[in-house]
Amino acid sequence: MDLQLPRGMRDFPPEEKILRDEVIAILKNLFELYGFSPLETPVVERWEALSAKYSGGEEILKETFKLTDQGGRQLGLRYDLTVPLARFVGMNPTIKRPFKRYQIGTVYRDGPIKKGRTREFYQCDADIVGSSSPLADAECVQLALDVFERFKIDVVVKINNRKVLYELVRAAQIPEKFTEAAILSLDKLDKIGPDEVIREMVERGIERTSAERFLSGAQDPQAFKNSEGYRELEPVLSALRDSRVVWTPSLARGLSYYTGTIYEVYAKDSSVTGSLAAGGRYDNMIGQFLGGTEKIPAVGISFGLEPILEVLKEQRRDLPLRKTVTQVYVIPFKTLVAEGRAVCQRLRRAGIKTDIDFSAKGISDGLKYANAYAIPFVVIVGPDEVAQGKVKLRDMRSGEEQLLTVEEVARQVAQRLS
Amino acid sequence: MDLQLPRGMRDFPPEEKILRDEVIAILKNLFELYGFSPLETPVVERWEALSAKYSGGEEILKETFKLTDQGGRQLGLRYDLTVPLARFVGMNPTIKRPFKRYQIGTVYRDGPIKKGRTREFYQCDADIVGSSSPLADAECVQLALDVFERFKIDVVVKINNRKVLYELVRAAQIPEKFTEAAILSLDKLDKIGPDEVIREMVERGIERTSAERFLSGAQDPQAFKNSEGYRELEPVLSALRDSRVVWTPSLARGLSYYTGTIYEVYAKDSSVTGSLAAGGRYDNMIGQFLGGTEKIPAVGISFGLEPILEVLKEQRRDLPLRKTVTQVYVIPFKTLVAEGRAVCQRLRRAGIKTDIDFSAKGISDGLKYANAYAIPFVVIVGPDEVAQGKVKLRDMRSGEEQLLTVEEVARQVAQRLS
C-alpha cells in the first residue's frame, strides 16, 4: 500500500508530542488558575450549526469538511471552538453566568496549505460568557501575559476597540460602504507599510485625502482619546497598567463578530511574525447565533499552539526534543529477567518512568537501544550486583557507573532529572 | 435555530470533563511509567488506509464516516488507533524497535446507538511494536493491573491464547469451515450460558456431539495444558504470577487480527458487565497491512474511558462531580475592585485556582454565584479588611469565616483541599 497521510494532516511522533503535551499542560494549568473550567464538545457538528448566520461566515464555510451519517444527516468538522461554545450555551440555558470555560482541541479547515498551516490544528480558547464588564476583557489579556511569562516569551499585546475604527472611518469622511474595505486595508499596516495601505484603499475606491486622513488618525492615539471606543478601552488599560499592552488604533482583527475591545499578542525579537494569541469582545454573536432576542455579552482569547511551539523552538534552542518519556532502561542479564522485572516494578512504584529490555540480547545491545532513544539512565541487573542486593546505575551522558540499591537509584534519578 | 448535537455525539460540561481529565491524566501517567511515549495521529485518515485489507474489516468499514477534501481525495474518520499506528510504523521504518507508544484519542463509528455507546468515543491504547517476547504480553497485563489498582477498582483479567481455541476446535472434530462460527458462539458463553452456546452452534451446522465436546474442552483448563497455545501462555502467566489473572479457554476477543495471547479486564462486583480494557498479540497485522514480507510482531492493550468512568461513578458515589475548577471566589466591595484583582493575582501566583466577581452586585449576589458553582472558598475584600491588610476567608461548606492575610489564605486553602 502507498503509505501517506491525508494532505494537510500531520503525525506527531513522541519527540514532538512530548513537547506539545508539556505546552498544553501549561496552558491548561493557567486557564484553571484563572477559574476557567474545561468543556469538551464533539469534533463533528451539525451542518446547520456550522453554517448558521453569524457563525464563521462564508470564507470559513467554504473550507469546512462536510460529511453525512448513515441516516443521511448533514454534518461537518468544527472549524473553530467558538460556534460549539455558542451552541452549548444555547442548549444549556440554565448555566449560571458568567460562564467561564476553556477548550483545547483540534479544528479542521479544508483550505490551502501554507507554511506552518495544516488542515487539522489546535485551538486553545478561554471565554467568559455573560459579563459586559471591561474587567472581563482585562482578565483575558492578563491571562495572556501570565501564559507568556510562564513560557519565558517576551511579548507585546496590541489592543484596540472596534468602535475606535468606526470613528476613524467617520472622521476621515470615508463613505459608509467603504468601511469594511478601509479597515481591512488598515489591518495590513504592519505587513505592507503605509504607502501600500493608501494605494490599496485608493484602488478600492476611497479618495486619497480620506485614505490619508484615516491612516494618520490611526497612527495618532492622542487624537482619539475622547472617542467612545477609547472610553471603553480605557478601563481595560488602567486595570492592566502594563507597559507590554500598547494601544494600537490600527488593529482590526478581521471583520467578523468582534464588537468591542480586541487584542493580539506578538512575540518580541522573533522571526515568528504572526500572532501567538488573539481575541476580543463579541457581544452579539452568541445571542444572534441562537436567534433569540437576548443579548449575551462575551469575551475570549484564543492561543495558537503551533506559533507558540515555533517561538519556543526558536528562542530556546536548548529545548529538549525527547525521543521517549523513559528515564531508566533496565537491562537484566539473560538469566535474571525475573529480577530485572522486579527492579523495574519497584522503580515504577517510586514514580520513575522505566522500561525494560527482555530481548536477552545482552548488555551492549541494550545500551545501544538506550542510546538510540537518548534514555538518560540505564540500570544493569547482573549476578554480582544481585548477590549484593544492588544494581548498577549508569549515567548515559557521563558514562559514570555506581553500585546502588534500587531505592538509591530512584532517589538519584529523581534528583538528577529535576 | 433548532439546537441539537449530531446523533450519537455528546458534550462534556465541566462537571463531567473535570473528572474525565483526571482519569485521562492517571492513564497518561501510568502509560509513561511503563515507558510508553505519546504519539498523536490525525483524526482524518485516507480512505485507502482505513479500508486496507487486514485493517478493521468489513463490519467496521460499514460504520466508518467518509468524507472528501476539496481536491476530491477520499478520506475517513479513524475508527480505532491501531490502523493509524500501523501506518505510522510503515511510514517511519527507521524507528528503533521495540517501539512503545500510547495514544489517547477519539475514534468514530457511524453505527447504531446503544446504551453507553456513542459515535465519538475515546480509546486509550498502549502498544509495543517489534517484540515477540511473552514478557511484552505480560507488561501489558501488568500495566492494566496497575491502572486499576490506581483507580481502586477490583478486577479480574481473563486471559487466553488464540491457538488454544484452534486446538479446541480440532480436538472437538469441528470441520474447519465452522472454526470461526464455533469460536464466535463460544465467546458468548458468559452472556448467554452453555445451553444457548450449544444451540447456536448446532443451528450453524455443527454436530451436537462436536459442539458439546468443544464446550466442555473450553471449560476444562487442565485438558489443554500440553497444547501449543498453553505453552505460549504459560510464560506470560508465570511472569505475572497474580491471582487476578485467570486462564479462560473460552475467551476469543472476536476474530480479527489477534494471533496469540489475548486478555480482557472486567470489574468485580459491578453492574458494568462489559470489559474495561482488552488487548492481545497481533503479530501479522502490521506487516500484512504494510503489504511487505516483513513480520512485525506487536502486542497492545486498549482501555475504554467510558466503562472506566461508569464503574468509578458506580463504586465511588462520593466521587465529586465538580461544577468548576475554581477553588476560591474573590468578592470585592464595589469600590475595591482593584484591590480585589490584586488579591486574586496573588492567590493565582500561589497556585490557587481563583476567580473574581467584578459585577459589583454586592456580597450576597457573589455568595449566590459561588454557591451555584459549589466553589469551596470565598474571599471577601472589604474596607475593614483592607484597612488591616487582610481579607475575610469564608469556608462555604461550614460557613466559618476568618480574618487572614492573603498568604495565610493561600496556605489554608491549599491545606484544606489537599
Side-chain angles (χ1 to χ4, degrees):
Chain A
M1 190 175 52
D2 181 22
L3 289 170
Q4 283 177 42
L5 275 163
R7 195 166 152 71
M9 305 280 168
R10 289 182 64 189
D11 283 328
F12 299 101
E15 64 203 79
E16 288 180 54
K17 178 65 174 162
I18 292 168
L19 179 62
R20 294 172 76 83
D21 279 358
E22 283 169 11
V23 169
I24 286 173
I26 290 173
L27 286 170
K28 181 175 166 62
N29 177 247
L30 261 301
F31 288 160
E32 296 195 351
L33 275 183
Y34 272 75
F36 292 93
S37 289
L39 171 72
E40 185 171 327
T41 65
V43 159
V44 179
E45 289 275 352
R46 288 167 70 236
W47 186 259
E48 194 183 340
L50 295 173
S51 63
K53 212 177 159 187
Y54 307 109
S55 53
E58 272 310 306
E59 281 304 304
I60 276 184
L61 214 57
K62 263 199 300 192
E63 299 192 345
T64 303
F65 282 104
K66 214 168 177 167
L67 60 157
T68 50
D69 71 2
Q70 292 210 46
R73 301 172 190 90
Q74 304 275 302
L75 309 170
L77 303 188
R78 65 185 179 205
Y79 50 76
D80 72 8
L81 302 174
T82 311
V83 169
L85 171 63
R87 180 192 51 67
F88 179 82
V89 168
M91 286 175 69
N92 295 273
T94 60
I95 277 187
K96 186 87 176 163
R97 297 182 199 155
F99 172 59
K100 293 175 72 172
R101 83 87 179 85
Y102 74 90
Q103 185 163 6
I104 298 174
T106 48
V107 301
Y108 300 82
R109 304 259 177 103
D110 187 10
I113 294 150
K114 284 170 272 180
K115 183 185 166 291
R117 186 79 183 179
T118 52
R119 286 180 175 172
E120 175 183 67
F121 56 96
Y122 273 84
Q123 286 193 339
C124 313
D125 287 12
D127 291 81
I128 305 174
V129 176
S131 170
S132 48
S133 165
L135 296 173
D137 303 77
E139 281 275 282
C140 292
V141 176
Q142 189 71 55
L143 167 64
L145 292 171
D146 273 17
V147 162
F148 292 106
E149 247 173 65
R150 190 72 69 96
F151 285 126
K152 298 194 182 79
I153 297 176
D154 280 338
V155 293
V156 59
V157 180
K158 294 186 186 178
I159 194 166
N160 196 21
N161 188 296
R162 291 299 299 263
K163 289 169 189 159
V164 168
L165 290 162
Y166 298 129
E167 289 166 292
L168 277 170
V169 169
R170 276 198 301 275
Q173 292 175 300
I174 292 172
E176 214 182 315
K177 62 174 176 180
F178 292 128
T179 305
E180 299 205 359
I183 293 176
L184 271 182
S185 296
L186 182 64
D187 199 32
K188 298 184 193 161
L189 182 59
D190 282 354
K191 277 186 207 122
I192 62 178
D195 293 349
E196 268 302 294
V197 168
I198 301 272
R199 203 192 54 72
E200 205 182 280
M201 280 195 276
V202 170
E203 200 172 68
R204 286 176 172 189
I206 297 166
E207 279 185 38
R208 178 166 294 272
T209 48
S210 287
E212 283 170 355
R213 209 178 302 146
F214 182 54
L215 183 62
S216 78
Q219 291 175 299
D220 177 18
Q222 295 312 317
F224 280 80
K225 290 237 159 162
N226 287 316
S227 69
E228 190 201 338
Y230 188 76
R231 276 198 303 276
E232 270 190 31
L233 191 55
E234 201 279 327
V236 182
L237 291 172
S238 70
L240 289 165
R241 220 181 288 277
D242 192 300
S243 61
R244 291 167 290 182
V245 181
V246 180
W247 181 30
T248 309
S250 61
L251 181 74
R253 293 275 309 114
L255 276 174
S256 47
Y257 48 60
Y258 292 105
T259 54
T261 297
I262 48 179
Y263 29 83
E264 288 185 349
V265 184
Y266 292 89
K268 274 186 185 165
D269 318 313
S270 169
S271 73
V272 178
T273 53
S275 67
L276 307 185
R281 176 168 286 282
Y282 53 105
D283 283 347
N284 299 333
M285 188 267 199
I286 297 180
Q288 286 176 333
F289 176 82
L290 302 179
T293 49
E294 194 196 2
K295 194 167 166 163
I296 305 176
V299 291
I301 185 158
S302 183
F303 293 82
L305 185 58
E306 310 305 334
I308 291 173
L309 280 160
E310 237 180 292
V311 175
L312 284 176
K313 285 180 187 166
E314 177 190 272
Q315 297 195 345
R316 294 168 56 191
R317 294 188 196 284
D318 58 326
L319 208 67
L321 283 183
R322 283 183 283 139
K323 288 183 186 166
T324 173
V325 295
T326 302
Q327 297 167 324
V328 170
Y329 192 57
V330 174
I331 310 175
F333 271 52
K334 214 177 219 170
T335 53
L336 296 170
V337 172
E339 287 77 1
R341 286 193 71 237
V343 169
C344 182
Q345 286 304 105
R346 280 162 70 193
L347 289 173
R348 286 170 180 165
R349 239 155 251 151
I352 306 293
K353 291 167 182 165
T354 309
D355 195 6
I356 177 167
D357 178 15
F358 31 59
S359 69
K361 283 189 185 159
I363 306 295
S364 90
D365 259 70
L367 289 173
K368 269 185 215 156
Y369 183 88
N371 245 326
Y373 277 108
I375 299 171
F377 294 97
V378 158
V379 161
I380 293 165
V381 181
D384 296 350
E385 291 87 1
V386 167
Q388 296 176 64
K390 297 197 172 174
V391 294
K392 199 189 280 170
L393 175 68
R394 183 184 169 94
D395 184 321
M396 293 297 282
R397 285 165 295 194
S398 67
E400 181 204 350
E401 293 187 342
Q402 288 172 279
L403 200 63
L404 300 171
T405 65
V406 177
E407 285 61 41
E408 286 165 344
V409 167
R411 257 199 309 278
Q412 287 251 355
V413 169
Q415 246 172 44
R416 295 207 221 165
L417 290 178
S418 70
Chain B
M1 191 172 52
D2 180 21
L3 289 169
Q4 282 177 41
L5 275 164
R7 196 166 151 72
M9 306 280 169
R10 287 182 65 189
D11 285 327
F12 299 102
E15 64 203 80
E16 288 181 53
K17 177 67 173 160
I18 292 168
L19 178 63
R20 294 172 76 83
D21 279 358
E22 282 169 12
V23 169
I24 286 173
I26 288 172
L27 286 169
K28 181 175 166 64
N29 177 247
L30 261 301
F31 288 159
E32 297 195 351
L33 275 183
Y34 272 75
F36 292 92
S37 290
L39 170 72
E40 184 171 327
T41 64
V43 160
V44 179
E45 290 275 353
R46 288 167 69 237
W47 187 259
E48 195 183 339
L50 295 174
S51 61
K53 213 177 156 185
Y54 307 110
S55 51
E58 273 308 307
E59 280 305 302
I60 277 184
L61 214 57
K62 262 199 301 193
E63 298 193 345
T64 304
F65 281 105
K66 214 168 176 169
L67 59 158
T68 52
D69 72 1
Q70 291 211 45
R73 299 172 191 90
Q74 305 274 302
L75 309 169
L77 303 189
R78 65 185 178 203
Y79 50 76
D80 72 7
L81 302 173
T82 311
V83 169
L85 171 63
R87 180 192 52 67
F88 178 83
V89 169
M91 286 175 70
N92 296 273
T94 61
I95 278 187
K96 187 87 176 163
R97 295 181 201 156
F99 172 59
K100 292 175 72 171
R101 81 90 181 82
Y102 73 91
Q103 185 163 5
I104 298 173
T106 48
V107 301
Y108 300 83
R109 305 258 177 103
D110 187 9
I113 294 150
K114 283 169 272 179
K115 183 184 167 290
R117 186 79 184 181
T118 53
R119 287 182 174 170
E120 175 183 67
F121 56 96
Y122 272 84
Q123 286 193 339
C124 312
D125 287 12
D127 290 82
I128 305 175
V129 177
S131 171
S132 48
S133 166
L135 297 172
D137 304 78
E139 281 274 283
C140 292
V141 177
Q142 189 71 56
L143 167 64
L145 292 171
D146 274 18
V147 162
F148 292 107
E149 247 173 66
R150 191 72 68 96
F151 285 125
K152 299 194 181 80
I153 297 176
D154 280 337
V155 294
V156 59
V157 180
K158 294 186 186 176
I159 194 165
N160 195 20
N161 188 295
R162 288 302 296 263
K163 288 167 189 160
V164 169
L165 290 163
Y166 298 129
E167 291 167 289
L168 277 171
V169 168
R170 276 198 300 275
Q173 292 175 298
I174 292 173
E176 214 184 313
K177 63 174 176 180
F178 292 129
T179 305
E180 299 205 0
I183 293 177
L184 272 182
S185 295
L186 182 64
D187 200 34
K188 298 183 193 162
L189 182 58
D190 282 354
K191 277 186 206 119
I192 62 178
D195 292 348
E196 268 302 294
V197 168
I198 301 272
R199 204 192 54 72
E200 204 181 281
M201 282 195 275
V202 171
E203 200 172 70
R204 285 175 173 190
I206 297 167
E207 279 184 38
R208 177 166 296 272
T209 49
S210 288
E212 282 169 357
R213 209 177 304 146
F214 182 55
L215 183 63
S216 79
Q219 292 175 297
D220 176 19
Q222 294 313 316
F224 281 81
K225 288 235 160 162
N226 286 316
S227 68
E228 192 202 337
Y230 188 76
R231 276 199 303 278
E232 269 190 33
L233 190 56
E234 199 281 325
V236 182
L237 291 173
S238 70
L240 289 165
R241 221 182 287 276
D242 193 300
S243 61
R244 290 167 290 182
V245 181
V246 180
W247 181 30
T248 309
S250 61
L251 181 74
R253 293 275 309 114
L255 275 175
S256 47
Y257 48 61
Y258 292 104
T259 54
T261 297
I262 47 178
Y263 28 83
E264 289 186 349
V265 184
Y266 292 89
K268 275 187 188 165
D269 319 312
S270 170
S271 73
V272 178
T273 54
S275 68
L276 307 185
R281 177 167 286 282
Y282 52 105
D283 283 348
N284 299 333
M285 187 266 199
I286 297 181
Q288 287 176 333
F289 176 81
L290 302 179
T293 49
E294 194 195 0
K295 194 167 166 164
I296 304 175
V299 291
I301 185 159
S302 183
F303 294 81
L305 185 58
E306 310 306 334
I308 292 173
L309 280 160
E310 236 179 294
V311 176
L312 284 176
K313 286 180 188 166
E314 176 190 273
Q315 298 196 344
R316 293 167 59 192
R317 296 188 195 283
D318 58 327
L319 208 69
L321 284 183
R322 283 183 284 140
K323 289 183 186 167
T324 173
V325 296
T326 302
Q327 298 167 322
V328 170
Y329 192 57
V330 175
I331 310 175
F333 270 53
K334 213 176 218 170
T335 53
L336 295 171
V337 172
E339 288 77 1
R341 286 193 72 239
V343 168
C344 181
Q345 286 306 104
R346 281 162 71 193
L347 289 173
R348 285 169 180 165
R349 238 156 251 150
I352 306 292
K353 292 168 182 164
T354 309
D355 193 5
I356 177 168
D357 177 15
F358 30 60
S359 69
K361 283 189 187 160
I363 305 296
S364 90
D365 260 69
L367 288 174
K368 269 184 215 156
Y369 183 88
N371 246 326
Y373 278 108
I375 300 171
F377 294 97
V378 158
V379 161
I380 294 164
V381 182
D384 297 349
E385 291 87 1
V386 168
Q388 298 176 63
K390 297 197 172 173
V391 296
K392 199 190 279 169
L393 174 69
R394 183 184 169 95
D395 184 322
M396 292 296 282
R397 286 165 295 194
S398 67
E400 180 204 352
E401 293 188 342
Q402 288 173 279
L403 200 64
L404 300 171
T405 66
V406 177
E407 285 61 40
E408 286 165 344
V409 168
R411 256 199 310 278
Q412 287 251 357
V413 169
Q415 247 174 41
R416 294 206 221 167
L417 290 179
S418 70

